[in-house]
């Protein structure tokens, strides 16, 4: 599937291709509160890494929305940085 000049594949399509484009990452940002009366939320950041299993295109006549069904990796245990700063993801251990 092509979006803004980028091609995305499913995991099964990767097996039949010379390139791999089924891996995705999402940076999540959210406010965290300690309690109901907490007036100073902390901005939290969490990266997620996954593999595209299915690609769905929802057609609403006036516009279309693409949805990726993904298997996500446990970012707390299966993601690490190597000595030169590359992110290494163990895609065999999905959460």
């Amino acid at each position: 599937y092509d979006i803004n000049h980028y091609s995305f594949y499913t995991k099964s399509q990767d097996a039949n291709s010379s390139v791999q484009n089924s891996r995705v990452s999402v940076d999540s940002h959210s406010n965290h509160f300690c309690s109901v009366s907490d007036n100073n939320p902390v901005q939290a950041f969490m990266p997620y890494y996954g593999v595209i299993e299915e690609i769905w295109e929802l057609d609403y006549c006036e516009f279309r929305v693409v949805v990726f069904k993904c298997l996500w990796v446990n970012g707390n245990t299966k993601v690490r940085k190597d000595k030169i700063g590359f992110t290494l993801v163990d895609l065999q251990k999905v959460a």
Side-chain angles (χ1 to χ4, degrees), residues 41-92:
V42 174
Q43 183 77 1
F45 161 78
M46 179 71 178
Y48 291 91
Y49 303 93
V51 179
I52 301 172
E53 287 289 305
E54 297 178 24
I55 300 174
W56 302 325
E57 183 179 70
L58 307 177
D59 188 349
Y60 292 104
C61 295
E62 305 233 350
F63 63 95
R64 294 178 182 176
V65 176
V66 177
V67 178
F68 294 160
K69 178 184 177 190
C70 299
L71 292 175
W72 297 102
V73 173
N74 183 343
N76 293 324
T77 60
K78 300 303 174 191
V79 177
R80 64 182 179 88
K81 296 250 187 210
D82 69 5
K83 293 178 184 178
I84 57 175
F86 284 105
T87 302
L88 304 175
V89 180
D90 185 355
L91 294 171
Q92 301 300 316

Side-chain angles (χ1 to χ4, degrees), residues 30-43:
S30 64
N31 291 324
H32 287 245
F33 298 87
C34 291
S35 67
V36 175
S37 60
D38 184 5
N39 291 325
N40 298 312
V42 174
Q43 183 77 1

